[in-house]
Amino acid sequence: MTTRRWFGLLAGWALAVALTFVGIARYKSEPGLPAAAPARWPEASGLPRTAGMATVLLFAHPRCPCTRASILELNEVMNRADVRQRARAVVVFFQSDASVERSDLWKFVSQMPSTDIALDASQVERHRFGARTSGQVEVFDAEGALVFSGGITGSRGHAGLNVGRTDLIAAVTGPAGEAAHPVYGCGLDEPGELASNESANR
Amino acid sequence: MNPTNRYDELVNQGHRRTDEVFFWLLLGQWALAIVLAVLVSPHTWAGRTPSLHSHVLLAVLLGGALNSLPLVLIRLRPGWWLTRHTVATAQMMWSALLIHLTGGRIETHFHVFGSLAFVAFYRDWKVLVTATVVVASDHLFRGLAYPESVYGIANPEWWRFLEHAGWVVFEDIVLVLACHRELTTNRAVAEREAELTALNQQFEDRVHRRTFQLEQSMRRFQSLIEGVNVVPFEIDAGTGQFTYIAPQGASFYRCTPAELARLEFLMSLVVERDRERTSSSLRAALQHGGSGTIDYRVRRPDGSELEVRTIYRFDAVERLIRGVSIDVTETKRLESELGQAQKLESVGRLASGVAHEINTPVQFVSDSVHFLKDASTDLLRVVADLHDVRERARAGAVAPERLSASTDLEAEVDVAYLTEAVPRAIERSLDGLSRVATIVRSMKEFAHPDSSEKMLVDLNRAIESTLVIANNELKYVADVEKDFGELPQVACHVGEVNQVVLNLVVNAAHAIGDVVKNTGKKGRITVSTRVVGAVVEVSVADTGGGIPEAVRPKIFEPFFTTKGVGKGTGQGLAIARSVAAKHEGSLSFTTELGRGTCFTLKLPLDHAPVLVAA
């Protein structure tokens, strides 16, 4: 093969690789379905809530690899003393299978400060709080008003400082920033459920 | 070898080796990425429904795409500059991909530094530049478009990529310095290798040339050794077996090659008469070393016989006996004929002297017989006269005149004188005849052909006979002094020994003759015999002029002579030495210029069975 052909191949290869990187970036930046969060804390909810403190809810699919980044971001937030003085977090795990309590995420969350774990076996709470994507965070202040709803990662599975995390902290410690952010993670709806929800939304 | 070429070769080898390292590194990274994707994020979920996670597809497809071109280039164009630049680009893209997939984790950036270290294996700073440009570009563009994927945060400072690139450049400096040092070492190695290679080439050329010469020499010697009608051999002193025997030995001994290889077989061919002697000579050589010559007769498997002479020499270092066996049948026949001819030639040459020796006694025998004839006539006349007187006396009386006449006759005949002289004349005649008989017997003994076997003889008597024959050659120039010791019967070929003694005494007479000629003086020849241990020594010493230094090494060579034409053929001492060798004895000499020469013949006292002389 001539050198010219090799150069042609090299150019094609570089282009293919570059385009693949762009494709990854686009995939990683594609958010999940947004939540239809209630404006106030539903009185019927059985999730724990501490009087006089804000409650940070994170709805998580226990097997979703991307949700680890969201949990890590929440961990960062809950490690802040100013946050812990004002809020308590609850990670609501979706009952995906019988061994959910043995999942890595469950174990990690159980070590996090000021954080409770709730098992939403029948997904009542998930539906109650309108969460549709794993990693969905909702913050209700001490009075029960929704002050934050959305994701706390910059993209799918990417931990690291991002606007969502910053605004979450702001929502707890004030002054509040942007209240809504895209969520990156696995879907919490079943495939059929997803279709019916979408048609309902339409 | 050119050092520059060798340097380029070493560098190219380094490139190829590094290509190979990357071949497996890229494959390993790909496999690791797939394994990690499968373990960490095998599925994405929609509720309880899993589907294949894009990370798995990404690991398989993007990893494969990333590796495709560099792997192909490594296999098809290893060592090519574009191959290593492509490999470096792919490796840095692997870093980018891993940083991307780990969300810009700072720990994953260490992959960049590890990759640069691998890229530095190429010892090519230009490849490090390519790698650096790729990683910096990735950080720049991805940092602008998607900062979380490279720095882990959404809003880094604009110059963050410069900070990362700065650390990469820092490592590059270290790596480029290392590359430079390595290349310098490579250049020095190349120069040394070039020198060594040149030296090696010289040695190889020399070895090649010498090997060729050795092969030529070997072929030459092989054709020499195997092309002649002798049988060279080599025997291991330890095993007593042949380590080599020339293949022509099979036709020499008329046996098979397998038989030829067995020393025992060849020994079995030696005729019984010679076997013990040959065998013990060989045993002695194997045990004590040295060199020697053995003559023996072999009877070949087809019944034909061969006179063989084996000349051997013991190599004390290698503990091997090397030698050759030669067919001397014809030589022996010629030697025998030559010996006889030389003997007859001696007899012929001595004939006039011998005739003179015979003539003297014949002369005085003749005179005595003439005297006896006259005396007997006179005596017969006296007897007849006395007979007549006796008859007259028996008839009556004898006249006084008759008696007076008878008395006168006695006086005339001188009976008294005859009575005294006749016995003396008879005695002289008998003595003369006895001397003639001695000479004739000596001649007969000397010229008689030898039997093929040794006989026990009185060596002193044999020498005495030889001296009688040579007497006429000796008596005018020398007095012969005999100093014969008491000898046992000696087993020898007496005719040949006589020949040797004759040659020695005639040579002695000639040597003395050269000194005393025209002086009227006579020299002295001393012939002595004695027993020393198991050897009989026969010495012939003369008072001649001695043998000049330059001539000494040649005197035993055939046809070498210092005598004038008609006085010698140059065969005498050559034959004498061969006779000594045939008896397993020796012939040596001591000489002093102006004082004379002494030749000594040593004959072993052979205890082997011999014929007894009749």
Side-chain angles (χ1 to χ4, degrees):
Chain A
M1 190 182 285
T2 60
T3 304
R4 183 188 290 262
R5 286 199 173 186
W6 280 116
F7 271 109
L9 265 178
L10 180 65
W13 171 75
L15 186 65
V17 170
L19 287 176
T20 314
F21 268 79
V22 170
I24 300 169
R26 291 190 62 175
Y27 165 74
K28 292 273 187 179
S29 303
E30 195 175 320
L33 291 170
R40 293 196 64 78
W41 182 273
E43 290 302 323
S45 172
L47 295 177
R49 190 170 166 227
T50 305
M53 293 186 84
T55 303
V56 179
L57 297 178
L58 190 150
F59 293 91
H61 192 299
R63 301 291 175 193
C64 173
C66 313
T67 303
R68 170 171 284 273
S70 301
I71 298 286
L72 287 175
E73 288 304 307
L74 180 63
N75 184 48
E76 288 291 319
V77 171
M78 296 313 295
N79 268 303
R80 290 174 63 108
D82 56 348
V83 172
R84 286 203 304 277
Q85 283 169 2
R86 294 176 175 82
R88 189 165 179 87
V90 180
V91 176
V92 184
F93 276 112
F94 165 59
Q95 176 89 50
S96 62
D97 56 75
S99 60
V100 63
E101 290 174 359
R102 290 200 297 274
S103 73
D104 290 340
L105 281 181
W106 186 292
K107 287 175 190 163
F108 184 82
V109 171
S110 64
Q111 305 293 321
M112 281 168 52
S114 299
T115 305
D116 298 317
I117 297 177
L119 181 59
D120 185 20
S122 56
Q123 300 196 64
V124 173
E125 297 294 349
R126 197 264 291 184
H127 285 296
R128 187 168 286 143
F129 286 88
R132 302 185 67 188
T133 302
S134 178
Q136 168 72 36
V137 176
E138 293 175 10
V139 182
F140 294 88
D141 62 13
E143 284 73 40
L146 178 72
V147 292
F148 180 92
S149 172
I152 54 172
T153 59
S155 59
R156 188 182 290 266
H158 273 186
L161 187 59
N162 63 90
V163 186
R165 189 218 289 184
T166 310
D167 283 346
L168 168 59
I169 295 165
V172 174
T173 60
E178 192 74 30
H181 289 279
V183 188
Y184 301 99
C186 300
L188 294 173
D189 294 337
E190 295 299 324
E193 189 182 358
L194 178 67
S196 65
N197 281 340
E198 279 178 354
S199 60
N201 286 342
R202 275 199 291 272
Chain B
M1 178 189 283
N2 186 328
T4 308
N5 291 346
R6 180 56 187 151
Y7 170 74
D8 291 344
E9 192 183 312
L10 281 175
V11 170
N12 187 258
Q13 282 174 0
H15 291 159
R16 285 166 174 265
R17 274 199 303 271
T18 309
D19 281 342
E20 194 61 24
V21 168
F22 269 108
F23 184 84
W24 296 108
L25 181 64
L26 292 171
L27 280 178
Q29 286 174 153
W30 188 15
L32 190 66
I34 293 171
V35 168
L36 281 176
V38 168
L39 289 178
V40 175
S41 51
H43 300 112
T44 187
W45 298 80
R48 291 188 180 83
T49 309
S51 59
L52 190 65
H53 199 287
S54 60
H55 281 177
V56 178
L57 281 176
L58 207 63
V60 173
L61 298 178
L62 180 57
L66 208 51
N67 279 352
S68 59
L69 186 63
L71 292 183
V72 168
L73 276 168
I74 287 170
R75 277 291 167 259
L76 297 182
R77 299 291 296 271
W80 191 27
W81 67 269
L82 189 60
T83 302
R84 53 185 180 273
H85 283 274
T86 307
V87 165
T89 303
Q91 182 60 27
M92 301 325 290
M93 290 308 289
W94 268 106
S95 295
L97 180 63
L98 290 172
I99 291 169
H100 193 156
L101 292 177
T102 57
R105 269 173 70 89
I106 200 69
E107 290 84 352
T108 316
H109 285 70
F110 289 117
H111 189 272
V112 172
F113 299 107
S115 296
L116 283 172
F118 270 102
V119 169
F121 285 1
Y122 280 119
R123 311 284 182 248
D124 183 352
W125 63 269
K126 295 190 283 292
V127 181
L128 282 170
V129 169
T130 298
T132 304
V133 167
V134 168
V135 77
S137 302
D138 171 63
H139 275 56
L140 173 63
F141 293 117
R142 212 144 46 90
L144 289 175
Y146 190 7
E148 297 96 323
S149 72
V150 62
Y151 304 121
I153 55 176
N155 50 355
E157 307 83 353
W158 67 267
W159 43 263
R160 181 66 71 93
F161 90 96
L162 284 177
E163 185 186 353
H164 281 239
W167 286 114
V168 169
V169 169
F170 175 73
E171 190 188 358
D172 283 346
I173 290 169
V174 174
L175 293 175
V176 167
L177 285 174
C179 288
H180 176 71
R181 183 172 295 182
E182 178 76 13
L183 290 176
T184 307
T185 307
N186 272 0
R187 196 175 292 280
V189 167
E191 284 167 2
R192 276 201 300 274
E193 278 192 16
E195 285 170 13
L196 284 172
T197 306
L199 205 60
N200 193 37
Q201 189 61 45
Q202 281 179 6
F203 279 128
E204 275 189 10
D205 286 348
R206 195 178 297 173
V207 167
H208 189 71
R209 203 165 49 245
R210 294 290 299 149
T211 306
F212 178 71
Q213 287 171 345
L214 275 173
E215 281 172 358
Q216 258 192 335
S217 175
M218 239 175 72
R219 278 198 295 274
R220 189 182 306 129
F221 278 105
Q222 191 168 10
S223 63
L224 261 176
I225 281 178
E226 295 178 1
V228 292
N229 191 27
V230 299
V231 185
F233 63 83
E234 188 179 82
I235 298 173
D236 186 324
T239 62
Q241 291 297 325
F242 286 120
T243 51
Y244 173 79
I245 182 162
Q248 66 266 33
S251 59
F252 187 90
Y253 291 108
R254 296 189 185 160
C255 61
T256 65
E259 288 171 334
L260 180 70
R262 288 173 45 232
L263 185 58
E264 301 79 28
F265 174 78
L266 295 189
M267 287 306 295
S268 73
L269 298 183
V270 178
V271 296
E272 196 173 345
R273 183 191 73 213
D274 295 343
R275 192 173 300 152
E276 178 53 34
R277 180 174 52 81
T278 307
S279 175
S280 61
S281 296
L282 193 62
R283 271 201 305 275
L286 285 169
Q287 286 167 9
H288 310 300
S291 59
T293 302
I294 321 170
D295 283 0
Y296 51 93
R297 175 178 279 270
V298 297
R299 186 170 293 114
R300 299 186 283 199
D302 66 357
S304 61
E305 293 198 350
L306 200 65
E307 291 287 347
V308 178
R309 175 168 295 157
T310 292
I311 304 164
Y312 61 87
R313 184 188 184 87
F314 182 73
D315 185 328
V317 179
E318 296 186 61
R319 298 204 55 76
L320 293 169
I321 289 180
R322 296 197 181 93
V324 288
S325 293
I326 309 164
D327 176 1
V328 291
T329 309
E330 187 62 13
T331 309
K332 290 261 179 184
R333 190 181 65 75
L334 290 174
E335 272 178 6
S336 171
E337 284 183 6
L338 186 62
Q340 191 62 22
Q342 215 262 348
K343 193 188 289 180
L344 294 176
E345 182 246 332
S346 303
V347 171
R349 191 147 46 80
L350 295 172
S352 65
V354 171
H356 183 75
E357 286 295 299
I358 292 173
N359 191 48
T360 303
V362 165
Q363 194 63 50
F364 66 72
V365 167
S366 174
D367 290 347
S368 296
V369 170
H370 277 292
F371 168 75
L372 287 172
K373 180 188 171 192
D374 291 343
S376 65
T377 305
D378 287 345
L379 286 172
L380 285 174
R381 275 173 60 202
V382 171
V383 169
D385 181 70
L386 288 175
H387 185 75
D388 180 61
V389 170
R390 191 181 69 191
E391 288 300 316
R392 284 173 192 267
R394 189 175 290 159
V398 182
E401 299 81 20
R402 182 67 186 91
L403 285 173
S404 175
S406 181
T407 304
D408 289 344
L409 181 63
E410 272 192 45
E412 181 192 336
V413 171
D414 197 354
V415 172
Y417 166 72
L418 291 178
T419 305
E420 192 181 326
V422 165
R424 284 210 307 271
I426 291 169
E427 197 63 39
R428 266 203 311 278
S429 297
L430 288 173
D431 177 47
L433 288 172
S434 168
R435 286 171 65 181
V436 169
T438 301
I439 292 168
V440 169
R441 191 183 65 247
S442 297
M443 283 290 283
K444 189 180 163 194
E445 282 178 3
F446 183 83
H448 190 272
D450 266 321
S451 73
S452 61
E453 306 295 336
K454 287 179 185 174
M455 292 195 301
L456 285 172
V457 294
D458 179 350
L459 203 55
N460 285 340
R461 183 183 157 187
I463 294 169
E464 187 84 57
S465 296
T466 303
L467 290 175
V468 167
I469 293 167
N471 189 45
N472 200 55
E473 288 277 320
L474 317 177
K475 65 185 181 187
Y476 300 109
V477 294
D479 295 323
V480 176
E481 193 174 297
K482 289 174 275 189
D483 179 16
F484 290 167
E486 197 167 324
L487 301 183
Q489 295 271 8
V490 178
C492 62
H493 298 281
V494 67
E496 292 177 359
V497 174
N498 281 340
Q499 177 75 17
V500 173
V501 174
L502 178 66
N503 284 337
L504 294 179
V505 294
V506 168
N507 281 353
H510 288 167
I512 292 167
D514 289 343
V515 174
V516 302
K517 64 185 173 187
N518 303 326
T519 63
K521 294 180 181 172
K522 286 167 79 172
R524 188 175 67 254
I525 295 172
T526 307
V527 181
S528 55
T529 60
R530 60 179 180 153
V531 175
V532 179
V535 172
V536 171
E537 287 186 359
V538 179
S539 298
V540 177
D542 65 57
T543 54
I547 303 170
E549 181 85 36
V551 172
R552 288 173 199 169
K554 301 179 185 174
I555 61 168
F556 292 113
E557 290 177 10
F559 302 107
F560 177 81
T561 181
T562 56
K563 298 174 186 173
V565 176
K567 286 191 81 178
T569 60
Q571 292 297 307
L573 286 177
I575 289 174
R577 176 161 270 195
S578 78
V579 168
K582 183 176 176 181
H583 285 79
E584 295 171 34
S586 65
L587 177 62
S588 57
F589 68 93
T590 56
T591 184
E592 194 176 341
L593 280 178
R595 298 287 298 274
T597 303
C598 177
F599 279 89
T600 303
L601 172 68
K602 292 182 181 175
L603 298 173
L605 283 169
D606 196 347
H607 299 295
V610 289
L611 297 177
V612 178

